[in-house]
Amino acid sequence: MLTLVPERRYGRHIASVIILLLGFALFGFAVTNAATTRSADWSFAGWPPAAFFVCAIAYIVPVFHYITFRTQRALDKLRPFIAADEHAAVALLIDHRSLGWTLRIAGIAISLWLGQSLILAGSWAAMWADLSDSLLSFLMAIGPLFVWLTMATSMSVLIRNALLFRRLTSKLDVRILEPDSYMPIGSMAVTSTLVVLGALGLLSIMWLGGPVNWWTTLPGLAIFSPLVVALLVIPVLPLHERLTEQRKQAIDGAQRAIRQAESQEGSVGVANMADALSLRRELTRLPTWPFDVPAILRFFAYAVIVPLTWAGAALIEILVNSIVS
């Protein structure tokens, strides 16, 4: 997937535009061709899923490239706090995978696509009929495969990178008073969620043509939604535990300084007490997570509002139609 993005200025934008143009040109030709033999309404109904397939791939490929770049930058920022051989080993694994790994992930993606397609078609015969009926039906059936391939590949890599950084944390010289020793991990974790959040947001496109079969979106929601939490928590949870322990020890030290100042008399005791109280106050404000937790929660809330709104509206429409009919 990384090779789909040209290594030049605005390479990610160029890749996204090319995928959009090729995808919409192909589906546009198929829909126009289908309109000569089917109703215009039927042809229009195919546009929302087609738009989702194209937009999802055009989004995932460059964003995955961007996340990989940011992950490498985060690792480079941690270079002063880890051994050189450890840095080199992790750097190699961030953007390189074996052929066997690639084939396994492709097999998983194809299996998920076949399962979803079988549920939607109802039988193997109907599924084969969808693939061989026309160019449009073939594209509508094969489109989800490329979404599954890009999502499965990117998510597998990102989960693997999260596990790499989790193991790296135990070997990292983390210092709570030196943010540069841990903040890059938080930045990497937050950036890694962009693939899933963007893809979930694009699911709303599927509902533009009206209610659709839940099996077109349910598998993706069920599989990828928990991965947002996993990508965020896996690399930073052990780091949070270490930072919490370091802050506790530092606050205990400040508390001991307060008790010592209480036993001192005169201006020296007052000055030491003021310094100790000020130190304790600052230590309690130190973060134990490598990111701004309230800001992250707000960001995630805004990111899921759109797909949840569309899904809720679709459910209400289905309920109303069932009552009226």
Side-chain angles (χ1 to χ4, degrees):
M1 283 178 58
L2 295 176
T3 59
L4 296 176
V5 177
E7 294 298 330
R8 54 174 298 172
R9 190 179 183 185
Y10 304 117
R12 288 186 283 268
H13 299 82
I14 293 172
S16 182
V17 170
I18 290 176
I19 294 172
L20 285 173
L21 292 176
L22 291 177
F24 280 117
L26 186 58
F27 274 104
F29 173 78
V31 170
T32 303
N33 202 28
T36 61
T37 57
R38 295 177 172 85
S39 67
D41 291 339
W42 187 93
S43 297
F44 172 76
W47 269 115
F52 167 73
F53 302 150
V54 176
C55 291
I57 297 171
Y59 172 81
I60 294 170
V61 170
V63 168
F64 174 68
H65 185 278
Y66 171 73
I67 292 173
T68 302
F69 169 75
R70 288 295 301 268
T71 302
Q72 292 170 330
R73 288 284 301 273
L75 181 64
D76 290 339
K77 291 180 180 179
L78 295 173
R79 189 191 295 268
F81 307 99
I82 54 176
D85 57 342
E86 191 69 29
H87 176 276
V90 175
L92 180 64
L93 291 173
I94 286 177
D95 56 5
H96 287 79
R97 294 293 184 272
S98 66
L99 177 60
W101 178 91
T102 304
L103 294 176
R104 287 193 299 272
I105 297 303
I108 293 173
I110 293 172
S111 299
L112 291 170
W113 168 71
L114 286 173
Q116 182 187 31
S117 300
L118 181 60
I119 292 173
L120 290 171
S123 66
W124 290 109
M127 179 179 168
W128 175 252
D130 289 339
L131 288 171
S132 57
D133 179 54
S134 66
L135 176 60
L136 179 59
S137 61
F138 173 79
L139 292 176
M140 295 300 293
I142 207 74
L145 172 59
F146 292 98
V147 178
W148 279 114
L149 283 170
T150 52
M151 279 298 290
T153 301
S154 58
M155 292 311 303
S156 299
V157 172
L158 296 178
I159 289 292
R160 175 70 182 275
N161 288 344
L163 292 172
L164 285 174
F165 273 77
R166 181 185 180 91
R167 289 195 292 270
L168 187 66
T169 300
S170 62
K171 304 174 182 178
L172 199 63
D173 184 18
V174 176
R175 306 167 189 173
I176 193 169
L177 296 176
E178 196 166 351
D180 288 345
S181 68
Y182 58 85
M183 291 300 288
I185 294 182
S187 174
M188 181 277 301
V190 173
T191 306
S192 296
T193 64
L194 292 178
V195 164
V196 187
L197 291 175
L200 293 179
L202 289 173
L203 282 174
S204 304
I205 298 175
M206 298 279 282
W207 298 91
L208 291 175
V212 297
N213 193 320
W214 269 101
W215 287 104
T216 59
T217 54
L218 185 61
L221 286 170
I223 293 174
F224 296 117
S225 295
L227 292 179
V228 177
V229 180
L231 287 171
L232 194 63
V233 171
I234 286 175
V236 303
L237 189 57
L239 185 62
H240 166 67
E241 294 172 351
R242 291 185 62 183
L243 291 174
T244 300
E245 180 61 28
Q246 287 189 13
R247 187 176 71 170
K248 180 179 179 301
Q249 293 176 359
I251 292 175
D252 289 343
Q255 193 63 44
R256 287 193 296 269
I258 291 174
R259 287 196 294 268
Q260 291 177 359
E262 288 176 340
S263 62
Q264 297 173 344
E265 299 179 354
S267 59
V268 174
V270 173
N272 290 340
M273 176 64 75
D275 291 341
L277 289 172
S278 176
L279 176 61
R280 186 180 65 178
R281 182 174 60 254
E282 294 301 320
L283 290 173
T284 56
R285 295 175 179 175
L286 288 175
T288 57
W289 292 97
F291 41 66
D292 186 345
V293 175
I296 293 299
L297 293 178
R298 288 194 299 271
F299 172 72
F300 285 160
Y302 295 145
V304 300
I305 282 175
V306 174
L308 288 180
T309 301
W310 280 95
L315 283 174
I316 293 173
E317 184 175 352
I318 293 172
L319 179 61
V320 171
N321 289 338
S322 64
I323 294 174
V324 172
S325 59

